[in-house]
């Protein structure tokens, strides 16, 4: 899993900035400050801290980027399939028949290879919501079971098109649990590899926090 945590960068920058502030204070100023009451000194420290905090955050993007791979054993691929019909109202090899309901529990791995380390599961459902049968509506949870985000999850919803391999599409990140509580953002998906029984997609999550 590749990640870039701008919040950690903020923390390091603030700490560094705080050290610089301490060294920039003139000795005369320090003597004047020592004559202040303890309550006044506390107010000054608080103001300096929040000023440095705002300065550090204003120059960064403030988002988290995660990349992992969805490993699916496709609908109809046998007893080991990770996608199955809950309701099959109309036959469709993609599951996108109008009125169909599918559920899935796919593995999330660090890489595209089938033996890449497992980091979690993609658990959700899809509804054939298009009369033209060219897309579906998906609601899912990306549940992390290993690594830094073990025990946390990301909530996602949005359309899933019936489209050729390498098609890029976007869904909304609407929340999460644990480390992703109050998360918002978007998830890019690109299906990158397929066989008769498997489908592998690259997921890029771009997350901000309320």
């Amino acid at each position: 899993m590749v990640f870039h945590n701008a919040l950690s960068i903020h923390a390091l920058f603030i700490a560094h900035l705080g050290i610089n502030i301490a060294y920039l204070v003139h000795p005369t100023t320090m003597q004047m400050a020592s004559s202040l009451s303890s309550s006044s000194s506390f107010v000054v420290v608080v103001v300096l801290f929040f000023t440095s905090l705002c300065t550090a955050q204003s120059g960064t993007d403030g988002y988290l980027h995660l990349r992992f791979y969805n490993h699916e054993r496709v609908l109809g691929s046998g007893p080991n399939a990770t996608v199955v019909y809950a309701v099959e109202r109309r036959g469709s090899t993609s599951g996108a028949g109008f009125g169909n309901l599918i559920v899935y529990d796919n593995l999330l791995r660090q890489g595209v290879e089938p033996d890449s380390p497992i980091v979690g599961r993609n658990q959700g459902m899809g509804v054939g919501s298009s009369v033209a049968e060219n897309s579906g509506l998906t609601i899912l949870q990306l549940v992390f079971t290993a690594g830094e985000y073990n025990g946390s999850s990301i909530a996602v919803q949005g359309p899933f098109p019936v489209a050729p391999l390498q098609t890029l599409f976007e869904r909304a990140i609407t929340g999460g649990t644990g480390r992703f509580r109050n998360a918002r953002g978007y998830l890019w998906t690109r299906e990158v590899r397929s066989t008769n029984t498997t489908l592998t997609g690259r997921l890029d999550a771009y997350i901000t926090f309320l």
Side-chain angles (χ1 to χ4, degrees), residues 153 173-185 207-210:
S153 68
I173 293 173
T174 57
T177 64
R179 298 283 296 277
F180 300 106
R181 191 177 298 120
N182 296 322
R184 294 292 186 275
I207 303 167
T208 59
F209 296 88
L210 296 180

Side-chain angles (χ1 to χ4, degrees), residues 157-170:
Q157 69 176 39
F160 193 105
V162 178
L165 209 64
Q166 300 295 337
T167 299
L168 180 68
F169 59 95
E170 180 178 315

Side-chain angles (χ1 to χ4, degrees), residues 27-76:
T28 304
T29 306
M30 293 180 66
Q31 291 175 0
M32 293 175 63
S34 66
S35 66
L36 296 175
S37 66
S38 59
S39 60
S40 298
S41 298
F42 176 76
V43 171
V44 171
V45 171
V46 170
V47 170
L48 285 173
F49 172 76
F50 281 104
T51 300
S52 66
L53 178 62
C54 292
T55 302
Q57 290 186 345
S58 64
T60 62
D61 293 330
Y63 74 90
L64 177 68
H65 173 211
L66 300 175
R67 172 176 288 178
F68 32 82
Y69 290 79
N70 181 70
H71 288 255
E72 173 182 320
R73 295 190 66 85
V74 300
L75 190 69

Side-chain angles (χ1 to χ4, degrees), residues 122-198:
N122 174 6
Q123 298 174 326
M125 62 182 180
V127 180
S129 55
S130 168
V131 173
E133 301 188 354
N134 57 11
S135 68
L137 172 65
T138 55
I139 302 172
L140 59 101
Q141 290 284 121
L142 303 176
V143 182
F144 295 94
T145 58
E148 181 180 356
Y149 302 107
N150 184 20
S152 299
S153 68
I154 300 172
V156 179
Q157 69 176 39
F160 193 105
V162 178
L165 209 64
Q166 300 295 337
T167 299
L168 180 68
F169 59 95
E170 180 178 315
R171 289 172 286 183
I173 293 173
T174 57
T177 64
R179 298 283 296 277
F180 300 106
R181 191 177 298 120
N182 296 322
R184 294 292 186 275
Y186 56 96
L187 179 74
W188 277 354
T189 301
R190 188 191 299 272
E191 307 295 355
V192 295
R193 180 181 292 180
S194 68
T195 69
N196 291 334
T197 58
T198 65

